[in-house]
Protein backbone atom coordinates (compact mmCIF):
# COMPACT_ATOMS: atom_id res chain seq x y z
CA UNK A 1 0.00 0.00 0.00
CA UNK A 2 2.82 2.43 0.86
CA UNK A 3 4.53 1.66 -2.44
CA UNK A 4 1.35 2.54 -4.33
CA UNK A 5 0.55 5.70 -2.39
CA UNK A 6 4.02 7.29 -2.36
CA UNK A 7 3.96 8.21 -6.10
CA UNK A 8 0.88 10.34 -5.39
CA UNK A 9 2.59 12.05 -2.45
CA UNK A 10 5.98 12.59 -4.11
CA UNK A 11 4.96 15.59 -6.31
CA UNK A 12 3.93 17.43 -3.12
CA UNK A 13 6.95 16.44 -1.01
CA UNK A 14 8.03 20.05 -0.34
CA UNK A 15 4.59 21.23 0.89
CA UNK A 16 4.45 17.97 2.87
CA UNK A 17 7.78 18.74 4.58
CA UNK A 18 6.58 22.31 5.20
CA UNK A 19 3.48 20.89 6.87
CA UNK A 20 5.64 18.60 9.02
CA UNK A 21 7.67 21.62 10.14
CA UNK A 22 4.39 23.27 11.15
CA UNK A 23 3.59 20.16 13.18
CA UNK A 24 6.74 20.59 15.28
CA UNK A 25 5.99 24.28 15.84
CA UNK A 26 2.45 23.40 16.94
CA UNK A 27 3.84 20.78 19.33
CA UNK A 28 6.24 23.35 20.80
CA UNK A 29 3.34 25.74 21.42
CA UNK A 30 1.33 22.96 23.07
CA UNK A 31 4.27 22.25 25.38
CA UNK A 32 4.50 25.92 26.37
CA UNK A 33 0.78 26.35 27.15
CA UNK A 34 0.83 25.27 30.85
CA UNK A 35 3.93 27.26 31.82
CA UNK A 36 2.35 30.72 32.19
CA UNK A 37 -0.20 29.13 34.52
CA UNK A 38 2.62 27.57 36.60
CA UNK A 39 4.29 31.00 36.91
CA UNK A 40 1.01 32.53 38.13
CA UNK A 41 0.36 29.79 40.71
CA UNK A 42 3.91 29.29 42.02
CA UNK A 43 5.61 32.68 41.55
CA UNK A 44 2.74 35.23 41.59
CA UNK A 45 0.30 33.61 44.03
CA UNK A 46 3.07 31.71 45.85
CA UNK A 47 6.71 32.32 46.65
CA UNK A 48 8.42 29.66 44.53
CA UNK A 49 11.17 30.72 42.13
CA UNK A 50 10.04 31.40 38.55
CA UNK A 51 11.74 29.94 35.43
CA UNK A 52 14.85 31.82 34.36
CA UNK A 53 14.68 33.78 37.68
CA UNK A 54 12.13 36.21 36.25
CA UNK A 55 10.91 37.02 39.79
CA UNK A 56 14.20 38.82 40.42
CA UNK A 57 13.66 41.15 37.45
CA UNK A 58 9.92 41.82 37.70
CA UNK A 59 7.43 42.54 40.41
CA UNK A 60 4.62 40.05 40.99
CA UNK A 61 2.20 42.35 39.18
CA UNK A 62 4.51 42.65 36.15
CA UNK A 63 5.10 38.91 36.22
CA UNK A 64 1.33 38.32 36.19
CA UNK A 65 0.95 40.63 33.18
CA UNK A 66 3.85 38.92 31.41
CA UNK A 67 2.41 35.46 32.11
CA UNK A 68 -1.04 36.48 30.79
CA UNK A 69 0.50 38.14 27.73
CA UNK A 70 2.64 35.05 27.12
CA UNK A 71 -0.46 32.87 27.30
CA UNK A 72 -2.21 35.05 24.71
CA UNK A 73 0.83 35.00 22.40
CA UNK A 74 1.15 31.22 22.66
CA UNK A 75 -2.52 30.73 21.73
CA UNK A 76 -2.34 33.26 18.89
CA UNK A 77 0.75 31.64 17.40
CA UNK A 78 -0.74 28.18 17.86
CA UNK A 79 -3.99 29.24 16.18
CA UNK A 80 -2.19 30.82 13.24
CA UNK A 81 0.05 27.77 12.67
CA UNK A 82 -2.95 25.44 13.03
CA UNK A 83 -4.87 27.36 10.35
CA UNK A 84 -1.85 27.29 8.04
CA UNK A 85 -1.33 23.59 8.68
CA UNK A 86 -4.98 22.79 7.98
CA UNK A 87 -4.86 24.69 4.70
CA UNK A 88 -1.58 23.04 3.66
CA UNK A 89 -2.68 19.49 4.46
CA UNK A 90 -6.13 19.91 2.90
CA UNK A 91 -4.57 21.30 -0.26
CA UNK A 92 -2.12 18.39 -0.51
CA UNK A 93 -4.86 15.85 0.22
CA UNK A 94 -7.28 17.30 -2.32
CA UNK A 95 -4.60 17.35 -5.00
CA UNK A 96 -3.77 13.72 -4.28
CA UNK A 97 -7.47 12.86 -4.57
CA UNK A 98 -7.62 14.70 -7.88
CA UNK A 99 -4.54 12.87 -9.20
CA UNK A 100 -5.89 9.49 -8.11
CA UNK A 101 -9.25 10.21 -9.75
CA UNK A 102 -7.47 11.21 -12.92
CA UNK A 103 -5.56 7.94 -13.08
CA UNK A 104 -8.55 5.80 -12.11
CA UNK A 105 -10.90 7.37 -14.66
CA UNK A 106 -8.23 7.24 -17.38
CA UNK A 107 -7.58 3.57 -16.58
CA UNK A 108 -11.31 2.77 -16.72
CA UNK A 109 -11.53 4.42 -20.13
CA UNK A 110 -8.83 2.09 -21.45
CA UNK A 111 -10.16 -1.17 -20.07
CA UNK A 112 -12.00 -3.31 -22.60
CA UNK A 113 -15.75 -3.68 -22.91
CA UNK A 114 -15.29 -7.22 -21.59
CA UNK A 115 -14.23 -5.72 -18.25
CA UNK A 116 -17.06 -3.16 -18.17
CA UNK A 117 -19.65 -5.81 -19.02
CA UNK A 118 -18.71 -7.61 -15.80
CA UNK A 119 -18.89 -4.59 -13.48
CA UNK A 120 -21.76 -2.52 -12.13
CA UNK A 121 -21.65 1.08 -13.30
CA UNK A 122 -22.78 2.35 -9.90
CA UNK A 123 -19.94 0.53 -8.13
CA UNK A 124 -17.36 2.05 -10.49
CA UNK A 125 -18.95 5.49 -9.98
CA UNK A 126 -18.64 5.09 -6.20
CA UNK A 127 -14.98 4.14 -6.52
CA UNK A 128 -14.26 7.20 -8.66
CA UNK A 129 -16.28 9.71 -6.64
CA UNK A 130 -16.11 8.44 -3.04
CA UNK A 131 -13.37 5.85 -2.55
CA UNK A 132 -10.73 8.17 -4.00
CA UNK A 133 -11.19 10.49 -1.00
CA UNK A 134 -9.76 7.73 1.15
CA UNK A 135 -6.22 8.59 0.03
CA UNK A 136 -6.63 11.97 1.73
CA UNK A 137 -7.91 10.31 4.90
CA UNK A 138 -5.09 7.80 4.82
CA UNK A 139 -2.31 10.36 4.33
CA UNK A 140 -3.26 13.87 5.44
CA UNK A 141 -5.90 12.88 8.01
CA UNK A 142 -3.81 9.92 9.13
CA UNK A 143 -0.16 10.88 8.92
CA UNK A 144 -0.34 14.43 10.31
CA UNK A 145 -2.50 13.77 13.38
CA UNK A 146 -0.23 10.86 14.27
CA UNK A 147 2.92 12.92 13.60
CA UNK A 148 1.54 15.75 15.76
CA UNK A 149 0.59 13.32 18.49
CA UNK A 150 4.01 11.62 18.47
CA UNK A 151 5.85 14.95 18.63
CA UNK A 152 3.68 16.01 21.57
CA UNK A 153 4.08 12.65 23.22
CA UNK A 154 7.87 12.78 23.06
CA UNK A 155 8.04 16.40 24.27
CA UNK A 156 5.59 15.89 27.11
CA UNK A 157 7.24 12.67 28.16
CA UNK A 158 10.58 14.49 28.50
CA UNK A 159 9.08 17.36 30.52
CA UNK A 160 6.95 15.11 32.73
CA UNK A 161 9.87 12.77 33.36
CA UNK A 162 11.86 15.71 34.70
CA UNK A 163 9.01 16.85 36.96
CA UNK A 164 8.21 13.44 38.48
CA UNK A 165 9.41 10.22 36.96
CA UNK A 166 7.15 8.04 39.12
CA UNK A 167 4.01 9.84 37.98
CA UNK A 168 5.23 9.68 34.40
CA UNK A 169 5.68 5.91 34.49
CA UNK A 170 2.25 5.57 36.10
CA UNK A 171 0.69 7.80 33.43
CA UNK A 172 2.21 5.72 30.63
CA UNK A 173 1.20 2.42 32.19
CA UNK A 174 -2.12 2.60 30.34
CA UNK A 175 -0.43 2.56 26.93
CA UNK A 176 -0.13 -1.25 26.64
CA UNK A 177 -3.86 -1.57 27.37
CA UNK A 178 -4.62 1.07 24.73
CA UNK A 179 -2.52 -0.56 22.04
CA UNK A 180 -3.96 -3.98 22.88
CA UNK A 181 -7.44 -2.50 22.32
CA UNK A 182 -6.28 -1.08 19.01
CA UNK A 183 -4.93 -4.41 17.80
CA UNK A 184 -8.07 -6.32 18.85
CA UNK A 185 -10.60 -3.97 17.27
CA UNK A 186 -8.81 -2.59 14.19
CA UNK A 187 -9.38 -5.73 12.09
CA UNK A 188 -13.09 -5.79 12.94
CA UNK A 189 -13.37 -2.11 12.03
CA UNK A 190 -11.59 -2.75 8.72
CA UNK A 191 -14.00 -5.59 7.83
CA UNK A 192 -17.01 -3.48 8.82
CA UNK A 193 -15.71 -0.60 6.68
CA UNK A 194 -15.34 -2.93 3.69
CA UNK A 195 -18.95 -4.09 3.98
CA UNK A 196 -20.19 -0.51 4.46
CA UNK A 197 -18.45 0.70 1.29
CA UNK A 198 -19.70 -2.28 -0.71
CA UNK A 199 -23.28 -1.67 0.42
CA UNK A 200 -23.03 2.06 -0.34
CA UNK A 201 -21.70 1.31 -3.83
CA UNK A 202 -24.73 -0.97 -4.32
CA UNK A 203 -26.97 2.04 -3.56
CA UNK A 204 -25.14 3.94 -6.31
CA UNK A 205 -25.76 1.02 -8.70
CA UNK A 206 -29.49 0.90 -7.96
CA UNK A 207 -29.82 4.67 -8.45
CA UNK A 208 -27.82 4.60 -11.69
CA UNK A 209 -29.93 1.80 -13.14
CA UNK A 210 -33.16 3.50 -12.10
CA UNK A 211 -32.24 6.92 -13.48
CA UNK A 212 -31.05 5.50 -16.81
CA UNK A 213 -34.23 3.44 -17.27
CA UNK A 214 -36.77 5.99 -16.01
CA UNK A 215 -38.85 5.90 -19.21
CA UNK A 216 -39.26 2.12 -19.03
CA UNK A 217 -39.98 2.21 -15.30
CA UNK A 218 -42.76 4.73 -15.76
CA UNK A 219 -44.10 3.05 -18.91
CA UNK A 220 -44.54 -0.26 -17.05
CA UNK A 221 -45.61 1.45 -13.77
CA UNK A 222 -42.75 -0.15 -11.84
CA UNK A 223 -42.09 2.89 -9.65
CA UNK A 224 -43.09 1.16 -6.40
CA UNK A 225 -41.02 -1.93 -7.13
CA UNK A 226 -37.95 0.15 -8.01
CA UNK A 227 -38.53 2.18 -4.84
CA UNK A 228 -38.56 -1.05 -2.84
CA UNK A 229 -35.28 -2.11 -4.45
CA UNK A 230 -33.75 1.25 -3.59
CA UNK A 231 -34.96 1.14 0.01
CA UNK A 232 -33.69 -2.44 0.41
CA UNK A 233 -30.23 -1.39 -0.78
CA UNK A 234 -30.36 1.80 1.28
CA UNK A 235 -31.40 -0.07 4.44
CA UNK A 236 -28.59 -2.59 3.97
CA UNK A 237 -26.15 0.30 3.58
CA UNK A 238 -27.61 1.92 6.70
CA UNK A 239 -27.23 -1.29 8.72
CA UNK A 240 -23.63 -1.71 7.55
CA UNK A 241 -22.82 1.92 8.39
CA UNK A 242 -24.42 1.62 11.83
CA UNK A 243 -22.36 -1.51 12.53
CA UNK A 244 -19.22 0.38 11.56
CA UNK A 245 -20.11 3.44 13.65
CA UNK A 246 -21.08 1.23 16.61
CA UNK A 247 -17.69 -0.47 16.49
CA UNK A 248 -15.92 2.88 16.22
CA UNK A 249 -17.96 4.30 19.12
CA UNK A 250 -17.30 1.22 21.26
CA UNK A 251 -13.63 1.54 20.35
CA UNK A 252 -13.65 5.20 21.40
CA UNK A 253 -15.46 4.37 24.63
CA UNK A 254 -12.87 1.79 25.65
CA UNK A 255 -10.08 4.30 24.99
CA UNK A 256 -11.81 6.97 27.09
CA UNK A 257 -12.41 4.58 30.00
CA UNK A 258 -8.78 3.44 30.01
CA UNK A 259 -7.56 7.06 29.95
CA UNK A 260 -9.97 8.04 32.74
CA UNK A 261 -8.58 5.27 34.93
CA UNK A 262 -5.05 6.41 34.19
CA UNK A 263 -5.92 10.01 35.03
CA UNK A 264 -7.56 9.01 38.33
CA UNK A 265 -4.49 7.05 39.43
CA UNK A 266 -2.12 9.88 38.48
CA UNK A 267 -4.21 12.54 40.31
CA UNK A 268 -4.39 10.40 43.44
CA UNK A 269 -0.63 9.68 43.50
CA UNK A 270 0.18 13.30 42.53
CA UNK A 271 -1.90 14.63 45.40
CA UNK A 272 0.07 12.40 47.76
CA UNK A 273 3.32 13.88 46.40
CA UNK A 274 2.05 17.44 46.98
CA UNK A 275 1.04 16.58 50.54
CA UNK A 276 4.47 15.10 51.15
CA UNK A 277 6.14 18.24 49.78
CA UNK A 278 7.95 16.59 46.86
CA UNK A 279 5.82 18.56 44.34
CA UNK A 280 4.48 22.12 44.36
CA UNK A 281 0.87 22.95 43.51
CA UNK A 282 2.03 24.61 40.27
CA UNK A 283 4.00 21.53 39.29
CA UNK A 284 1.03 19.23 39.86
CA UNK A 285 -1.15 21.67 37.85
CA UNK A 286 1.38 21.52 34.98
CA UNK A 287 1.62 17.76 35.33
CA UNK A 288 -2.15 17.38 35.26
CA UNK A 289 -2.39 19.70 32.26
CA UNK A 290 0.32 17.68 30.52
CA UNK A 291 -1.47 14.50 31.52
CA UNK A 292 -4.61 15.63 29.70
CA UNK A 293 -2.45 16.68 26.78
CA UNK A 294 -0.52 13.41 27.02
CA UNK A 295 -3.66 11.32 26.79
CA UNK A 296 -5.00 13.53 24.01
CA UNK A 297 -2.27 12.51 21.52
CA UNK A 298 -2.57 8.88 22.66
CA UNK A 299 -6.31 9.16 22.03
CA UNK A 300 -5.59 10.85 18.68
CA UNK A 301 -3.29 8.00 17.66
CA UNK A 302 -5.85 5.37 18.62
CA UNK A 303 -8.78 7.20 16.99
CA UNK A 304 -6.74 7.96 13.88
CA UNK A 305 -5.75 4.33 13.65
CA UNK A 306 -9.43 3.41 13.49
CA UNK A 307 -9.94 6.04 10.77
CA UNK A 308 -6.97 4.66 8.85
CA UNK A 309 -8.49 1.16 8.88
CA UNK A 310 -11.64 2.47 7.18
CA UNK A 311 -9.70 4.66 4.75
CA UNK A 312 -7.39 1.80 3.83
CA UNK A 313 -10.40 -0.13 2.55
CA UNK A 314 -11.35 2.72 0.20
CA UNK A 315 -7.79 3.01 -1.14
CA UNK A 316 -7.62 -0.75 -1.66
CA UNK A 317 -10.87 -0.63 -3.67
CA UNK A 318 -9.36 2.05 -5.93
CA UNK A 319 -6.10 0.19 -6.46
CA UNK A 320 -8.05 -3.01 -7.05
CA UNK A 321 -9.25 -1.40 -10.28
CA UNK A 322 -5.91 0.25 -11.10
CA UNK A 323 -4.24 -3.15 -10.72
CA UNK A 324 -6.49 -4.69 -13.39
CA UNK A 325 -4.24 -5.38 -16.34
CA UNK A 326 -5.40 -4.03 -19.65
CA UNK A 327 -6.57 -7.10 -21.54
CA UNK A 328 -6.10 -5.21 -24.81
CA UNK A 329 -2.34 -4.90 -25.18
CA UNK A 330 -1.20 -1.68 -26.87
CA UNK A 331 0.57 -2.08 -30.21
CA UNK A 332 3.39 0.07 -31.56
CA UNK A 333 2.41 0.76 -35.17
CA UNK A 334 0.51 3.80 -36.41
CA UNK A 335 -1.25 4.38 -39.70
CA UNK A 336 0.21 6.85 -42.18
CA UNK A 337 -1.24 10.36 -42.37
CA UNK A 338 -3.19 9.34 -45.49
CA UNK A 339 -5.02 6.70 -43.42
CA UNK A 340 -5.79 3.04 -44.02
CA UNK A 341 -6.77 1.61 -47.39
CA UNK A 342 -9.51 -0.45 -45.76
CA UNK A 343 -8.64 -4.05 -46.72
CA UNK A 344 -10.05 -6.22 -43.90
CA UNK A 345 -9.55 -9.91 -43.11
CA UNK A 346 -11.10 -12.08 -40.40
CA UNK A 347 -8.89 -15.17 -40.38
CA UNK A 348 -10.29 -18.25 -38.59
CA UNK A 349 -11.75 -16.07 -35.84
CA UNK A 350 -13.45 -17.57 -32.78
CA UNK A 351 -14.80 -15.64 -29.81
CA UNK A 352 -16.83 -16.19 -26.66
CA UNK A 353 -18.03 -13.99 -23.81
CA UNK A 354 -18.63 -16.91 -21.45
CA UNK A 355 -16.48 -20.06 -21.37
CA UNK A 356 -17.86 -22.93 -23.46
CA UNK A 357 -20.47 -20.68 -25.07
CA UNK A 358 -18.92 -19.64 -28.42
CA UNK A 359 -20.39 -16.64 -30.19
CA UNK A 360 -18.20 -16.86 -33.30
CA UNK A 361 -16.83 -20.16 -34.62
CA UNK A 362 -13.85 -20.18 -36.96
CA UNK A 363 -15.11 -17.28 -39.11
CA UNK A 364 -13.06 -16.31 -42.16
CA UNK A 365 -14.00 -13.32 -44.29
CA UNK A 366 -12.06 -11.09 -46.67
CA UNK A 367 -13.39 -7.64 -47.56
CA UNK A 368 -11.33 -5.72 -50.14
CA UNK A 369 -10.90 -1.97 -49.68
CA UNK A 370 -13.85 0.15 -50.76
CA UNK A 371 -16.43 -2.65 -50.64
CA UNK A 372 -19.83 -2.37 -48.97
CA UNK A 373 -20.67 -5.48 -46.94
CA UNK A 374 -23.96 -6.22 -45.22
CA UNK A 375 -24.17 -8.68 -42.34
CA UNK A 376 -27.59 -10.16 -41.66
CA UNK A 377 -29.06 -12.91 -39.55
CA UNK A 378 -31.33 -13.49 -36.56
CA UNK A 379 -30.76 -11.69 -33.28
CA UNK A 380 -27.89 -13.05 -31.20
CA UNK A 381 -25.92 -14.82 -33.93
CA UNK A 382 -22.80 -12.64 -33.51
CA UNK A 383 -23.25 -9.83 -36.06
CA UNK A 384 -22.31 -6.96 -33.72
CA UNK A 385 -19.63 -9.10 -32.07
CA UNK A 386 -17.96 -9.78 -35.42
CA UNK A 387 -17.67 -6.06 -36.16
CA UNK A 388 -16.72 -5.20 -32.55
CA UNK A 389 -13.49 -7.10 -33.12
CA UNK A 390 -12.42 -4.64 -35.83
CA UNK A 391 -11.98 -1.57 -33.54
CA UNK A 392 -10.72 -3.96 -30.84
CA UNK A 393 -13.53 -3.58 -28.36
CA UNK A 394 -12.60 -7.23 -27.82
CA UNK A 395 -9.81 -9.47 -29.08
CA UNK A 396 -10.60 -12.84 -30.68
CA UNK A 397 -10.06 -15.98 -28.66
CA UNK A 398 -8.55 -17.65 -31.72
CA UNK A 399 -7.47 -16.37 -35.13
CA UNK A 400 -6.77 -12.75 -36.00
CA UNK A 401 -8.20 -9.68 -37.68
CA UNK A 402 -6.03 -7.73 -40.11
CA UNK A 403 -6.34 -4.28 -41.63
CA UNK A 404 -4.30 -3.65 -44.78
CA UNK A 405 -2.52 -6.96 -44.18
CA UNK A 406 -1.35 -6.16 -40.61
CA UNK A 407 -2.73 -7.73 -37.45
CA UNK A 408 -4.77 -4.97 -35.79
CA UNK A 409 -3.20 -5.90 -32.42
CA UNK A 410 0.07 -4.46 -33.74
CA UNK A 411 -1.44 -0.97 -34.03
CA UNK A 412 -1.84 1.61 -31.29
CA UNK A 413 -5.49 1.59 -30.24
CA UNK A 414 -5.96 5.30 -30.87
CA UNK A 415 -4.41 5.07 -34.33
CA UNK A 416 -6.59 2.05 -35.17
CA UNK A 417 -9.85 3.55 -33.97
CA UNK A 418 -9.32 6.84 -35.78
CA UNK A 419 -9.53 4.81 -39.00
CA UNK A 420 -13.05 3.66 -38.14
CA UNK A 421 -16.32 5.60 -37.92
CA UNK A 422 -19.26 3.91 -36.23
CA UNK A 423 -23.00 4.23 -35.82
CA UNK A 424 -23.82 1.94 -32.90
CA UNK A 425 -26.96 0.78 -31.14
CA UNK A 426 -28.62 2.24 -29.19
CA UNK A 427 -28.02 5.73 -30.61
CA UNK A 428 -26.17 7.74 -27.97
CA UNK A 429 -26.08 11.51 -27.72
CA UNK A 430 -24.57 13.58 -24.91
CA UNK A 431 -26.13 16.43 -22.87
CA UNK A 432 -24.18 19.04 -24.88
CA UNK A 433 -25.09 21.11 -27.93
CA UNK A 434 -26.20 19.51 -31.18
CA UNK A 435 -23.09 20.85 -32.89
CA UNK A 436 -20.80 19.33 -30.23
CA UNK A 437 -22.63 16.01 -30.53
CA UNK A 438 -22.07 15.84 -34.28
CA UNK A 439 -18.46 17.01 -33.95
CA UNK A 440 -17.72 14.60 -31.09
CA UNK A 441 -15.22 12.63 -33.19
CA UNK A 442 -13.79 15.77 -34.85
CA UNK A 443 -14.11 18.68 -32.40
CA UNK A 444 -12.02 20.90 -34.67
CA UNK A 445 -14.58 20.65 -37.50
CA UNK A 446 -16.04 23.92 -38.77
CA UNK A 447 -19.74 24.74 -38.60
CA UNK A 448 -19.96 24.34 -42.38
CA UNK A 449 -18.61 20.79 -42.14
CA UNK A 450 -21.04 19.98 -39.32
CA UNK A 451 -23.96 21.31 -41.36
CA UNK A 452 -22.88 19.33 -44.43
CA UNK A 453 -22.73 16.12 -42.36
CA UNK A 454 -26.17 16.89 -40.91
CA UNK A 455 -27.58 17.39 -44.40
CA UNK A 456 -26.19 14.04 -45.56
CA UNK A 457 -27.80 12.41 -42.52
CA UNK A 458 -31.08 14.21 -43.30
CA UNK A 459 -31.22 15.88 -39.87
CA UNK A 460 -30.40 19.48 -40.84
CA UNK A 461 -34.02 20.61 -41.25
CA UNK A 462 -34.95 19.24 -37.82
CA UNK A 463 -31.96 20.99 -36.22
CA UNK A 464 -32.85 24.28 -37.93
CA UNK A 465 -36.26 24.19 -36.21
CA UNK A 466 -34.71 23.90 -32.74
CA UNK A 467 -34.71 27.06 -30.54
CA UNK A 468 -30.96 27.75 -30.92
CA UNK A 469 -30.35 25.63 -33.98
CA UNK A 470 -26.99 23.85 -33.79
CA UNK A 471 -26.26 25.53 -30.44
CA UNK A 472 -29.32 23.95 -28.78
CA UNK A 473 -28.47 21.90 -25.71
CA UNK A 474 -29.59 18.29 -25.89
CA UNK A 475 -31.27 16.84 -22.80
CA UNK A 476 -29.80 13.99 -20.76
CA UNK A 477 -29.64 10.88 -22.96
CA UNK A 478 -31.17 12.92 -25.76
CA UNK A 479 -34.51 13.21 -23.98
CA UNK A 480 -35.44 16.35 -25.97
CA UNK A 481 -35.01 14.51 -29.29
CA UNK A 482 -36.97 11.71 -30.89
CA UNK A 483 -35.37 8.29 -31.36
CA UNK A 484 -35.08 8.91 -35.09
CA UNK A 485 -33.43 12.31 -34.53
CA UNK A 486 -30.92 10.80 -32.14
CA UNK A 487 -30.08 8.12 -34.67
CA UNK A 488 -29.58 10.64 -37.47
CA UNK A 489 -27.31 12.74 -35.25
CA UNK A 490 -25.12 9.66 -34.65
CA UNK A 491 -25.06 9.09 -38.41
CA UNK A 492 -23.98 12.71 -38.95
CA UNK A 493 -21.26 12.14 -36.34
CA UNK A 494 -19.96 9.14 -38.29
CA UNK A 495 -20.14 11.09 -41.57
CA UNK A 496 -18.10 13.94 -40.12
CA UNK A 497 -15.47 11.52 -38.80
CA UNK A 498 -14.58 10.86 -42.47
CA UNK A 499 -12.78 7.58 -41.69
CA UNK A 500 -11.73 5.01 -44.34
CA UNK A 501 -13.72 2.25 -42.60
CA UNK A 502 -17.37 2.70 -41.67
CA UNK A 503 -19.48 0.48 -39.38
CA UNK A 504 -23.24 1.00 -39.40
CA UNK A 505 -25.14 -1.02 -36.80
CA UNK A 506 -28.82 -0.78 -37.69
CA UNK A 507 -28.48 2.76 -39.11
CA UNK A 508 -32.18 3.12 -39.94
CA UNK A 509 -33.83 1.01 -37.25
CA UNK A 510 -35.52 4.00 -35.57
CA UNK A 511 -36.84 5.90 -38.60
CA UNK A 512 -39.81 5.57 -40.87
CA UNK A 513 -39.62 4.28 -44.43
CA UNK A 514 -39.56 7.76 -45.98
CA UNK A 515 -36.73 8.97 -43.74
CA UNK A 516 -34.93 5.66 -44.28
CA UNK A 517 -34.91 6.28 -48.02
CA UNK A 518 -33.47 9.77 -47.51
CA UNK A 519 -30.80 8.50 -45.11
CA UNK A 520 -29.80 5.67 -47.40
CA UNK A 521 -29.39 8.19 -50.21
CA UNK A 522 -26.98 10.17 -48.04
CA UNK A 523 -25.21 7.02 -46.89
CA UNK A 524 -24.72 5.86 -50.46
CA UNK A 525 -22.81 9.07 -51.11
CA UNK A 526 -20.89 8.65 -47.85
CA UNK A 527 -19.87 5.03 -48.43
CA UNK A 528 -18.38 5.63 -51.87
CA UNK A 529 -14.71 4.53 -51.85
CA UNK A 530 -14.96 3.49 -48.18
CA UNK A 531 -14.97 0.00 -46.72
CA UNK A 532 -18.41 -0.16 -45.18
CA UNK A 533 -20.07 -2.74 -42.94
CA UNK A 534 -23.81 -2.61 -42.38
CA UNK A 535 -25.68 -4.67 -39.80
CA UNK A 536 -29.34 -4.66 -40.73
CA UNK A 537 -32.57 -6.38 -39.81
CA UNK A 538 -34.41 -4.39 -42.47
CA UNK A 539 -33.23 -6.22 -45.52
CA UNK A 540 -34.28 -3.33 -47.78
CA UNK A 541 -31.24 -1.41 -46.48
CA UNK A 542 -28.79 -4.01 -47.85
CA UNK A 543 -30.03 -4.08 -51.43
CA UNK A 544 -27.07 -2.07 -52.74
CA UNK A 545 -24.38 -3.95 -50.81
CA UNK A 546 -21.52 -5.45 -52.80
CA UNK A 547 -21.62 -8.53 -50.58
CA UNK A 548 -24.13 -9.91 -48.11
CA UNK A 549 -22.98 -12.20 -45.31
CA UNK A 550 -25.54 -14.39 -43.55
CA UNK A 551 -24.60 -15.44 -40.01
CA UNK A 552 -26.24 -18.19 -38.05
CA UNK A 553 -25.05 -19.70 -34.76
CA UNK A 554 -21.76 -17.84 -35.04
CA UNK A 555 -20.89 -19.14 -38.50
CA UNK A 556 -21.14 -17.78 -42.04
CA UNK A 557 -23.76 -19.96 -43.70
CA UNK A 558 -24.24 -17.98 -46.90
CA UNK A 559 -22.74 -15.05 -48.83
CA UNK A 560 -23.31 -13.34 -52.17
CA UNK A 561 -24.98 -10.34 -53.77
CA UNK A 562 -28.57 -9.37 -53.06
CA UNK A 563 -29.79 -10.71 -56.38
CA UNK A 564 -27.93 -14.00 -55.99
CA UNK A 565 -29.24 -14.64 -52.49
CA UNK A 566 -32.83 -13.44 -52.85
CA UNK A 567 -33.43 -15.73 -55.84
CA UNK A 568 -31.97 -18.76 -54.11
CA UNK A 569 -33.46 -21.08 -51.56
CA UNK A 570 -31.00 -20.36 -48.76
CA UNK A 571 -31.45 -18.71 -45.38
CA UNK A 572 -31.35 -15.18 -46.82
CA UNK A 573 -34.19 -15.85 -49.25
CA UNK A 574 -36.30 -17.39 -46.49
CA UNK A 575 -35.57 -14.47 -44.21
CA UNK A 576 -36.36 -11.95 -46.93
CA UNK A 577 -39.64 -13.60 -47.89
CA UNK A 578 -40.79 -13.88 -44.29
CA UNK A 579 -39.96 -10.21 -43.66
CA UNK A 580 -41.62 -9.13 -46.91
CA UNK A 581 -44.79 -11.04 -46.05
CA UNK A 582 -44.87 -9.45 -42.60
CA UNK A 583 -44.49 -5.98 -44.13
CA UNK A 584 -47.32 -6.77 -46.56
Amino acid sequence: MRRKILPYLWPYRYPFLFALAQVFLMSGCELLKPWPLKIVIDSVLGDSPSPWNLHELFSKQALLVAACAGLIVIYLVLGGITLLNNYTTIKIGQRMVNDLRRDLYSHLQRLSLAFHSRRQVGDLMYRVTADTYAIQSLTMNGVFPIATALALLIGMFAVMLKIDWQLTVLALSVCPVLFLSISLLSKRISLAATVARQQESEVYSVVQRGMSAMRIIQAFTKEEEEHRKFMAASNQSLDASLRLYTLQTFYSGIINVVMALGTAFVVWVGAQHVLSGSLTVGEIVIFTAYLASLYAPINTISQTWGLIQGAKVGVQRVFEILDVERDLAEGNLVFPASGARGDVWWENVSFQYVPDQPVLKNVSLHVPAGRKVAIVGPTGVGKSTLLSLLPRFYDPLEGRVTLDGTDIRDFQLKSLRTQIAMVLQPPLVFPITVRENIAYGRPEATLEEVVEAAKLARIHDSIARLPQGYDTLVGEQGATLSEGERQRITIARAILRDAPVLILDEPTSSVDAETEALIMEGLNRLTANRTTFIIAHRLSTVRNADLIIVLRSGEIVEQGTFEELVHGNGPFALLYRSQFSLEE
Side-chain angles (χ1 to χ4, degrees), residues 61-116:
Q61 190 66 32
L63 201 57
L64 176 61
V65 173
C68 293
L71 193 63
I72 293 172
V73 170
I74 290 171
Y75 273 89
L76 285 176
V77 172
L78 179 60
I81 297 174
T82 302
L83 285 174
L84 180 61
N85 184 255
N86 287 341
Y87 174 78
T88 304
T89 54
I90 290 172
K91 184 178 180 180
I92 296 172
Q94 288 293 309
R95 288 188 180 277
M96 291 177 68
V97 170
N98 189 60
D99 293 345
L100 185 60
R101 279 183 174 178
R102 174 201 64 203
D103 290 349
L104 178 59
Y105 190 72
S106 176
H107 187 66
L108 284 170
Q109 294 288 308
R110 286 166 173 76
L111 291 175
S112 72
L113 294 184
F115 167 84
H116 287 283

Side-chain angles (χ1 to χ4, degrees), residues 383-432:
K383 301 186 297 296
S384 296
T385 300
L386 180 67
L387 294 184
S388 293
L389 299 178
L390 183 53
R392 288 193 70 197
F393 291 152
Y394 311 95
D395 276 341
L397 184 66
E398 297 176 0
R400 67 174 190 159
V401 182
T402 67
L403 182 55
D404 295 345
T406 302
D407 192 321
I408 59 173
R409 288 173 288 202
D410 294 335
F411 291 106
Q412 294 179 9
L413 280 170
K414 183 176 182 180
S415 180
L416 171 66
R417 290 172 180 170
T418 55
Q419 309 304 310
I420 304 168
M422 289 172 275
V423 176
L424 303 176
Q425 286 298 323
L428 176 64
V429 294
F430 300 95
I432 51 182

